Amino acid sequence: MFGSSIYLRDRPAFTGGSPQAVYEELWQRGRKGRLRTRAFLAAATLVLCGLLVNAVFGIAMAVLVAVADTLVHWRIYSASRVWRLGLRGDQRMDRFLRYTLERRGHRVLHARTVPGHGIADELVVGPGGVWLVHNEAWSPGAEVSQHGGRLFIDGRTQTKLVRGVTARAEAAAEAISRAAGTPVTVTPVLAVHGGKLARTPFTADGIVFAPPLKLIRWMRRNPAADRSAEEIEAIARAAVHALPVGSHGSARAAA
């Protein structure tokens, strides 16, 4: 049939199916190839390390290589799945924050409405400052980079995106400062789900960009303040009063 691929012919998942259905099918088709590659890497490591050191060391390194290869492919699959399901990554980031910063004394508010500026995916209040986290999922092949201090996706600037995130952080800072009765600075950051990033974290248009776990690590290592537990709690309470609970679904519908 004209207009159909000779490689994907007569496969329901590839004819009008969703991107996620196509991806799941391709992922399953590539499973044997991934297992063969993993077995080859583990065997080569076993032989090499066994000859250079001893058999026990060879076995340990072979297991380590196999686990590392599995982890790399899982991360690729997880990030790609978010985009192919048409999601932005906020639920994924929620989980990461729950098992990292929230266990280290940070307060995390999820899906809060910034009046006049839509939904803040996550607002993180910690000893090192306050961050407004925005999530975006791009296709696995999309090039996410910065040139001259500006964000580019596949060679195109993203003025609307960065202005929206920056304005949301500034409006959140004003609202929280009024409620807290003290100046509070809110730093905008963006968690990148998927895409190709040459080097991260990087700063573009005044916003730090990085994959979720690297972004969380950056937030811990780059404090903008030094707040006590009492100050953290007071700012979090002010944010709860100033920024009501929102809904990503209703925000998309309104758009």
Side-chain angles (χ1 to χ4, degrees):
M1 177 183 295
F2 291 108
S4 63
S5 168
I6 61 174
Y7 302 105
L8 308 178
R9 182 179 300 164
D10 300 328
R11 298 297 299 274
F14 296 105
T15 54
S18 68
Q20 175 62 17
V22 174
Y23 184 68
E24 293 286 355
E25 177 70 13
L26 290 174
W27 181 264
Q28 290 300 322
R29 286 162 61 91
R31 183 172 182 272
K32 289 184 178 180
R34 292 194 301 276
L35 292 176
R36 282 196 298 267
T37 300
R38 190 171 303 148
F40 173 79
L41 292 173
T45 302
L46 173 63
V47 172
L48 182 61
C49 293
L51 291 175
L52 292 176
V53 185
N54 55 50
V56 174
F57 181 74
I59 294 173
M61 291 305 297
V63 171
L64 183 62
V65 167
V67 171
D69 184 71
T70 302
L71 180 61
V72 168
H73 282 94
W74 175 83
R75 290 185 65 180
I76 294 172
Y77 173 81
S78 179
S80 298
R81 186 172 183 271
V82 169
W83 170 74
R84 294 179 188 280
L85 282 172
L87 305 177
R88 291 176 48 258
D90 48 284
Q91 295 179 0
R92 185 170 179 246
M93 189 62 173
D94 286 348
R95 290 195 297 272
F96 285 136
L97 288 170
R98 185 177 305 117
Y99 295 114
T100 55
L101 295 185
E102 282 193 288
R103 294 188 174 183
R104 294 177 177 270
H106 292 64
R107 291 289 306 275
V108 181
L109 307 181
H110 305 275
R112 311 300 296 198
T113 300
V114 181
H117 294 275
I119 302 295
D121 293 339
E122 293 96 10
L123 191 76
V124 181
V125 183
V130 182
W131 296 270
L132 184 146
V133 181
H134 183 77
N135 296 276
E136 284 292 339
W138 284 290
S139 66
E143 183 180 347
V144 184
S145 59
Q146 71 87 19
H147 301 285
R150 301 192 65 187
L151 174 66
F152 287 83
I153 307 296
D154 284 337
R156 298 180 180 179
T157 58
Q158 302 293 311
T159 303
K160 182 179 179 181
L161 170 63
V162 297
R163 283 182 179 174
V165 175
T166 301
R168 194 172 300 135
E170 292 174 350
E174 292 178 5
I176 296 171
S177 297
R178 286 195 300 269
T182 185
V184 175
T185 299
V186 177
T187 303
V189 294
L190 196 148
V192 180
H193 304 263
K196 294 191 300 184
L197 297 88
R199 188 176 69 180
T200 57
F202 67 79
T203 301
D205 294 297
I207 301 173
V208 174
F209 293 78
L213 292 177
K214 284 190 176 182
L215 185 62
I216 291 171
R217 190 179 305 123
W218 181 90
M219 292 162 65
R220 287 182 54 203
R221 295 179 178 177
N222 293 270
D226 184 14
R227 302 189 186 280
S228 65
E230 292 75 17
E231 290 175 317
I232 293 171
E233 188 62 29
I235 293 174
R237 285 199 302 267
V240 168
H241 290 294
L243 309 176
V245 176
S247 169
H248 288 292
S250 61
R252 282 194 293 267

